[in-house]
Each structure stands twice: as structure tokens, then as C-alpha cells.
Amino acid sequence: MNLRFIDWLWNIRGSVPLPPGQSGDEAFARLDPLLQQPGTSCERSGETLVFTKKDQAAQDRMSIFDAGALQIEQGADGAVLRYRLYSRALLFCLLAPLLFIAFGQMIVGIGVLEGPPTEAELKAEKAKQEAKDKKVQTLNPIDQFLGAPAPEKPKKDEKDKAKDKAKDKKHSPTAAYVFAAIFAVLFVAGRILEDWLIRKRLRQALHDS
């Protein structure tokens, strides 16, 4: 598979116009505070700057990105800064839903292979429930002396209750699907937010006096 068609999901690309008359050296000098952070190494070659990050601090305003390239190009309307930034966090949030969905499907498959609760399981669950209800229905001597009414028997049929409990004990894929949905939301929100934030920060760095 050619990753060029899908790598935009975890790579953020864009461009920011340089102010009129701003040189490449001045532009990179303005961007320097964003890049001179603990764990960040940079290498510049002409009008292109490549950086990588390792163990970046949370205070780093570009901490979500692990590597990237910044390049100044001359266009018809003036110089522009083009950027391509790679994020392992976005890639993780993209792959996590697929992983949890696979877990959920695996759990469903296990449930199908196991089949419905056996008669022995139903009997064991019923016996356990009967012992529990018997304990609840028995009043202690003090309550009996005071004339407290005996607890009512459960209205639900014991066999049905035992069957429901046995079903509940079967593996459920719900948790896996919930986590898949959470990471999917995190990816979509993060992809949109980080695209907007990095464009804003680069623009501010280049244009602010």
C-alpha cells in the first residue's frame, strides 16, 4: 500500500506566508524559540530545516510532534513557509480504535464458540441465588422479637434470574467498543485542533514584532 494517500492522517502539512521582505534567516530566527526545546535536535540546510524530538517535555508547544521539516519557498505572491510534521500520538489514536474493535470481535467470537450457559452453570447460579435469598429472607432474633415483617420473596422467577446472571458473566465486547469510540473521538479532535494550533503558532512566530 502506498502510504502517501493515507499518511496525511498522522502528518500535518500546510503553509504560512512570510511577511513582505522577511528573509529565510530572519524567519528561522523567529521560529527558533519553538524549536530550541529540551529533547529537540535541528539540522538546517539552506532554506530547509529538519527537526526531531525525543522525550519532549509537556511544556513544549510542539510536543505532540516527533519530527518534521520546515522549508521556505518563493512563490508568485512572495515567500511561504511550508511544513510537514509527523505525530506518533495521532498515529496511535488512529490505530487504537482498530485494535479495540478487533478485541471486541474476538470477544464476540469467543462467546459464539462457548455457546449459551450450560445446564450445570444455570443450576450452580440458581443454587447460589437461592442461598443468597434465603439469607436475606431470614430475620435476626432482635427483628423477630420486635415484630418486623419478613422480607418479601423476589418476584422474578429464580430460573430466569439465574439465567440472566449466567449471561452477564459471559464476555461482553461493550468495553472494547467504548474504548474504540473514545480514541476515535480523540483522533478526530486532535487532528483538527493540532492542525489549527500549529498554523496559528507558526504565523504568530513569523509575524509578531
Side-chain angles (χ1 to χ4, degrees):
M1 180 185 292
N2 194 336
L3 292 179
R4 288 187 307 168
F5 298 107
I6 62 172
D7 68 350
W8 60 270
L9 292 168
W10 61 89
N11 286 270
I12 293 181
R13 297 180 177 89
S15 62
V16 176
L18 270 62
Q22 189 176 86
S23 65
D25 290 337
E26 185 180 355
F28 284 125
R30 287 174 170 269
L31 296 172
D32 196 56
L34 289 174
L35 299 171
Q36 294 303 319
Q37 299 291 331
T40 303
S41 58
C42 303
E43 183 178 345
R44 181 182 170 187
S45 176
E47 299 297 284
T48 302
L49 186 148
V50 177
F51 72 89
T52 57
K53 290 179 177 289
K54 184 178 180 181
D55 300 327
Q56 50 267 45
Q59 294 81 7
D60 186 347
R61 288 183 292 171
M62 294 177 64
S63 61
I64 192 173
F65 302 110
D66 301 280
L70 308 174
Q71 185 175 18
I72 295 176
E73 297 180 357
Q74 297 296 328
D77 298 327
V80 296
L81 173 72
R82 300 194 183 279
Y83 56 89
R84 176 183 175 181
L85 309 173
Y86 163 76
S87 173
R88 254 187 327 221
L90 288 177
L91 179 59
F92 173 77
C93 289
L94 173 66
L95 296 178
L98 304 178
L99 180 63
F100 281 111
I101 289 174
F103 282 151
Q105 291 299 310
M106 184 173 65
I107 292 171
V108 171
I110 292 173
V112 171
L113 292 176
E114 288 182 353
T118 63
E119 191 65 28
E121 291 175 331
L122 291 174
K123 287 181 179 179
E125 192 63 40
K126 181 179 178 180
K128 190 183 298 183
Q129 186 64 37
E130 286 176 348
K132 182 178 177 182
D133 291 341
K134 185 177 180 181
K135 184 178 179 181
V136 171
Q137 292 168 15
T138 303
L139 291 174
N140 60 53
I142 297 176
D143 289 336
Q144 290 178 349
F145 177 77
L146 295 175
E152 294 182 2
K153 292 183 179 181
K155 294 181 180 179
K156 190 172 184 180
D157 182 75
E158 297 297 337
K159 187 174 182 179
D160 292 341
K161 187 181 292 186
K163 191 180 294 185
D164 290 344
K165 286 217 172 228
K167 286 181 179 178
D168 290 341
K169 287 192 173 183
K170 290 292 182 182
H171 299 297
S172 171
T174 303
Y177 295 151
V178 168
F179 278 110
I182 290 173
F183 278 103
V185 171
L186 286 175
F187 169 75
V188 173
R191 182 63 178 79
I192 296 173
L193 180 63
E194 291 302 329
D195 191 355
W196 177 78
L197 282 176
I198 192 60
R199 186 186 302 272
K200 177 183 177 183
R201 285 167 181 163
L202 293 175
R203 185 184 296 274
Q204 286 179 340
L206 293 171
H207 288 259
D208 285 357
S209 300

